[in-house]
Amino acid sequence: MRSIQYLAATGVAALMGLAACGGSSDGGGPDDGPGASAPNILFVVMDDVGIDQMAAFGYGGATPPSMPNMTAVADAGLRFRNTWSMPECSPGRAAFFLGRYPTRTGIYQAIGPNDLANSQVSPYEVTVPKLLKRANYESAMFGKFHLAGPENNEAEYATPAVLGWDYFYGWLGGLPGSIDTTAGGVAPEKTYACGFVPGKAAGGADHGACYRPDGSCSIMRRTSALQDAAGLQCLDAGGIFVPDEACGEPPATLDFERENAHYVSPLVIVDQGKVTRVPLSDPRSRGFRTRIETDAAIAWIKSRSGKQPWMASVTYSAAHTPWQQPPRSLIPASGHAGSDAWDCRATLEGRLIQDQMTEAMDTEFGRLLVETGLARRGEDGRLQYDPKASNTIIVIVGDNGTLGSAVKAPFSTDRAKATAYQTGIWVPLIIAGPQVEQPGREVDRMVNAVDLFQFFGEAAGIDAHAAVPRTIDSVSLMPYLTNPEQPSLRSVNFAIGGYNIQANGTRNGACVIGTVCNQTPVSKSVCEDNQGVWWGAGYDDPSVIPNDGAGYQTCWAVNQALFKAERPLIDIMPEISAAIRNDRYKLVRNTTQAYDPASDSGTSVVTDELYEVDQAAPIPQLDKAERNLLVAPTPEIEAVYADLRAKLEQMLAADPDCPGDGNRDGVVDEEDLSNWSRIAREWGLSSVYDFVTGTARDGLTNDADGQVVRNNLGKICPKTYGLY
């Protein structure tokens, strides 16, 4: 019998009912007041929105996305303008919720369907919701999960509950599906680049029949250029649009079981461990994700009784690829309304669509605050936010840097997300609440994503370092809120991205985006959603050099094939990109698997680069190749390099593998043997008790792993401490 029971759970409608039956209608807003002992926490995560996008931090280029609501919160709180996260979403989010670097968690890149449990958040970790349970908090998450499961994980779709959340409403795998270019089956593949029938002027239609999964139908019309295309109106309403037709017998080709990026997604609801997988044909799975995420958060917050403090994590899917236009009603008058004739795969238009998606997220964030009583609208429509009017802390952060093709000038498009250069890991962080003294300040001290773990504990009155039996890498943030003169609490900052663990040492296939090959995309569809050409197994692009369908499992193999075909070689994205810095200088170490024509094989190339940090606004001097101080180092620079190199190597050596210690409590003991036995008996597949046997993990939990535990019983694992 499995350890998790999967039962039906209620959705947003039921939560609305709870509010109507006596729950607090203000969600812990003004009525709770600053006098309450433990503050509520609203934690908002923006996806792929680096600091380069943020006018509130002095950046954003010539046409920054309009974000008046988040700016209003920043004006009433603190802007932390020297914050590092990790280069990709899963390791960045794991850092928030565990307070531990990837060198300890094993999560180095976005978790994909082939990544083993060893590169997912372990059920034995102390997550933020588990930590806050000690102070009687209720915890919920809305939106993108992407921390563990459902693949290669014993908990499967119940992973949010296993990791401590009382309630989850969102998208477990994280990434939106590909755009449905058939628009629901009304046209052949590749007809509609953005997933909906555009207006008549763009080759579509201005009216037609909108069929819904329940069999109902209504006519959708576009009567003004200021309206969304009728096809987008229908898609946003959860339907499929048949152009230039009246309601009648629906075409047999209509398919309500096709994903469509940000509009049709496989919703999962986990309520106290009870799992509901919502079909794509269910209205709850249909509609613009950002709005769905916000609606669910509002419903849950408003249904709280007021007897317990709560933490709501709203982890938006925006503005992650595939880019897709939001409803115009969510886009403010910023000049970014755009055209439904855009091609969502085109670089320029995709960049503009990301602006729209970011603006729509800000619009919905403002609605979240107003409808939960945390803010109100002034007569001019602007958000009026008073941090002292409620006992609620608001935290807003980006999970990683911006995707290269969407980066704002003067930031580097080729040193962005998935790298440890500034554009890849430098993220906005805003904190507001009644604890903030002298709001409106900028804090230029070094902060890391892992520090939020300790901050959430501090807000609840919990000493995170004392409460967690493992090493955590967090330092305090609360002193920056209460003391405007607080000196820096960090002497170093650290970030790293790499590759996750897959069965038998395999990797994601090769994806060529422009003239750069990388293995970050977890599948062919994700590669193509990011405007790439898939060279892995199942390739079908004519530019790929055929190899009997096997595909290319490494980027160096792509260059090997190009070399033999006498075609130009391409650049290869580092497979490991790490960085460490002090107050003035930053060391970047990249490890790349390159092709060596002399030996006709792959070879590991490690390069170190040193930069002086300059974060001036609006034009910072970023870590570009021409600024590498190791090209002609002075004795002073050599000394700086030696110091940072030693610290980097210390960080990279943190938490060495300890065979047999699956729960990572520092000792191999009978508890490990018991855990292994149960998992092997009830599950048998990937788990944290799958150890290296031979040269790699095999994705199984079996007798070989049990023997590893028995061989190491009584072993004490070395505990490594972090650098702060």
Side-chain angles (χ1 to χ4, degrees):
M1 182 177 179
R2 297 291 301 283
S3 58
I4 301 293
Q5 298 294 317
Y6 304 103
L7 304 173
T10 56
V12 169
L15 286 174
M16 296 286 193
L18 282 175
C21 295
S24 169
S25 64
D26 61 16
D31 286 353
D32 285 335
S37 57
N40 301 317
I41 302 170
L42 176 62
F43 181 39
V44 176
V45 180
M46 303 181 290
D47 201 331
D48 284 2
V49 179
I51 203 166
D52 65 290
Q53 304 288 317
M54 302 289 291
F57 286 79
Y59 306 111
T63 56
S66 176
M67 304 176 71
N69 298 307
M70 291 188 181
T71 299
V73 174
D75 289 343
L78 300 182
R79 294 170 172 85
F80 288 83
R81 63 178 330 275
N82 195 357
T83 304
W84 276 11
S85 186
M86 302 302 131
E88 291 189 51
C89 48
S90 294
R93 291 160 190 260
F96 302 149
F97 290 115
L98 300 178
R100 286 157 56 82
Y101 290 133
T103 49
R104 305 188 194 280
T105 65
I107 305 170
Y108 286 93
Q109 66 179 145
I111 297 170
N114 297 318
D115 294 337
L116 298 182
N118 311 85
S119 282
Q120 302 179 27
V121 175
S122 165
Y124 302 103
E125 289 277 12
V126 178
T127 60
V128 166
K130 290 181 182 179
L131 181 71
L132 295 185
K133 283 282 189 223
R134 299 171 183 237
N136 197 35
Y137 272 74
E138 298 177 279
S139 296
M141 181 187 288
F142 309 92
K144 175 177 173 177
F145 190 64
H146 219 183
L147 293 168
E151 298 89 0
N152 295 310
N153 193 298
E154 184 185 14
E156 297 181 302
Y157 288 89
T159 53
V162 170
L163 297 182
W165 276 275
D166 300 303
Y167 189 78
F168 172 76
Y169 195 106
W171 331 105
L172 206 64
L175 302 178
S178 297
I179 289 174
D180 174 16
T181 57
T182 75
V186 300
E189 297 281 356
K190 300 184 179 180
T191 301
Y192 299 121
C194 292
F196 63 90
V197 178
K200 185 175 182 179
D206 286 338
H207 76 277
C210 181
Y211 292 94
R212 293 176 177 81
D214 63 2
S216 64
C217 178
S218 60
I219 297 299
M220 291 287 180
R221 299 182 183 277
R222 181 190 223 172
T223 59
S224 164
L226 299 178
Q227 289 180 298
D228 286 319
L232 183 54
Q233 293 178 43
C234 178
L235 179 62
D236 186 38
I240 295 177
F241 181 74
V242 181
D244 296 323
E245 294 288 338
C247 291
E249 186 67 24
T253 59
L254 297 193
D255 187 353
F256 289 97
E257 297 297 337
R258 293 180 69 111
E259 291 187 49
N260 193 350
H262 287 262
Y263 282 93
V264 184
S265 303
L267 180 68
V268 176
I269 305 169
V270 187
D271 188 357
Q272 301 295 336
K274 300 174 185 179
V275 176
T276 300
R277 294 178 61 186
V278 181
L280 293 175
S281 58
D282 189 300
R284 291 173 294 177
S285 290
R286 309 181 71 85
F288 190 55
R289 266 202 194 198
T290 303
R291 185 188 285 129
I292 292 171
E293 292 158 344
T294 305
D295 283 342
I298 291 169
W300 185 83
I301 292 171
K302 292 179 71 173
S303 72
R304 298 306 87 210
S305 69
K307 297 177 181 179
Q308 290 177 263
W310 51 259
M311 178 174 178
S313 297
V314 186
T315 55
Y316 284 116
S317 303
H320 200 287
T321 53
W323 291 317
Q324 201 171 27
Q325 292 97 320
R328 290 194 184 198
S329 61
L330 301 184
I331 305 170
S334 63
H336 291 160
S339 165
D340 56 72
W342 278 348
D343 178 354
C344 289
R345 283 178 50 84
T347 299
L348 175 59
E349 290 168 357
R351 180 192 297 255
L352 297 174
I353 293 170
Q354 166 146 333
D355 280 345
Q356 291 185 332
M357 296 175 72
T358 304
E359 293 181 350
M361 175 176 59
D362 182 78
T363 298
E364 287 295 272
F365 167 75
R367 182 169 71 89
L368 170 64
L369 297 191
V370 171
E371 293 194 17
T372 56
L374 296 175
R376 62 181 182 83
R377 293 287 176 192
E379 292 183 1
D380 59 0
R382 294 181 182 179
L383 190 75
Q384 304 294 315
Y385 168 64
D386 177 2
K388 296 191 181 299
S390 72
N391 191 29
T392 301
I393 294 173
I394 300 176
V395 179
I396 306 168
V397 72
D399 63 347
N400 49 248
T402 303
L403 183 70
S405 56
V407 164
K408 300 294 189 186
F411 287 75
S412 302
T413 60
D414 59 343
R415 295 188 165 199
K417 178 183 175 181
T419 77
Y421 294 107
Q422 287 292 78
T423 314
I425 59 176
W426 188 11
V427 298
L429 172 62
I430 298 166
I431 300 180
Q435 298 81 0
V436 175
E437 296 294 333
Q438 296 182 20
R441 288 184 284 126
E442 289 191 341
V443 178
D444 62 1
R445 311 304 188 191
M446 285 187 288
V447 171
N448 194 281
V450 297
D451 299 340
L452 286 172
F453 180 86
Q454 182 166 339
F455 176 71
F456 296 138
E458 290 174 315
I462 300 168
D463 181 342
H465 285 271
V468 178
R470 299 166 181 81
T471 299
I472 61 173
D473 297 293
S474 304
V475 302
S476 181
L477 289 181
M478 191 64 77
Y480 296 124
L481 276 64
T482 58
N483 179 10
E485 306 303 323
Q486 176 63 45
S488 179
L489 296 171
R490 278 190 169 275
S491 62
V492 296
N493 213 346
F494 174 72
I496 186 170
Y499 54 90
N500 287 341
I501 298 169
Q502 297 182 0
N504 304 309
T506 58
R507 295 277 304 280
N508 296 333
C511 175
V512 177
I513 302 176
T515 60
V516 179
C517 182
N518 74 90
Q519 293 178 252
T520 296
V522 301
S523 66
K524 179 176 184 290
S525 62
V526 174
C527 172
E528 293 171 349
D529 289 342
N530 285 275
Q531 304 166 323
V533 174
W534 181 250
W535 283 63
Y539 63 84
D540 56 15
D541 191 279
S543 67
V544 177
I545 298 170
N547 66 349
D548 297 323
Y552 297 85
Q553 297 307 303
T554 63
C555 284
W556 73 259
V558 171
N559 266 347
Q560 181 186 48
L562 292 170
F563 180 80
K564 292 182 177 180
E566 299 183 343
R567 286 167 55 179
L569 304 189
I570 57 178
D571 294 330
I572 296 177
M573 182 83 75
E575 65 172 0
I576 303 173
S577 187
I580 195 165
R581 63 162 290 187
N582 57 28
D583 280 331
R584 185 175 176 186
Y585 296 100
K586 172 184 180 182
L587 172 63
V588 178
R589 174 171 293 176
N590 291 321
T591 303
T592 306
Q593 291 296 317
Y595 171 60
D596 177 24
S599 62
D600 192 32
S601 64
T603 182
S604 183
V605 177
V606 180
T607 58
D608 282 357
E609 303 164 17
L610 187 71
Y611 300 96
E612 186 168 9
V613 177
D614 176 351
Q615 298 180 155
I619 304 178
Q621 296 298 312
L622 297 165
D623 36 12
K624 299 181 179 180
E626 61 269 22
R627 297 187 66 242
N628 180 8
L629 298 173
L630 296 182
V631 172
T634 64
E636 177 189 0
I637 292 301
E638 289 280 12
V640 170
Y641 171 50
D643 177 66
L644 286 176
R645 182 180 60 209
K647 290 174 179 173
L648 176 62
E649 289 167 356
Q650 181 178 342
M651 295 298 296
L652 296 176
D655 268 22
D657 196 28
C658 187
D661 184 23
N663 61 6
R664 300 305 291 263
D665 65 354
V667 61
V668 183
D669 55 15
E670 291 296 329
E671 184 176 345
D672 289 301
L673 198 57
S674 175
N675 290 341
W676 163 80
S677 177
R678 185 199 61 77
I679 294 169
R681 181 177 65 254
E682 297 181 6
W683 173 244
L685 303 178
S686 177
S687 79
V688 293
Y689 281 89
D690 172 21
F691 302 109
V692 174
T693 51
T695 59
R697 292 173 171 86
D698 60 8
L700 303 173
T701 304
N702 53 23
D703 289 341
D705 302 303
Q707 192 58 50
V708 172
V709 177
R710 287 187 286 267
N711 290 345
N712 289 280
L713 281 173
K715 180 177 181 180
I716 304 298
C717 307
K719 185 171 184 178
T720 59
Y721 295 91
L723 293 174
Y724 307 109

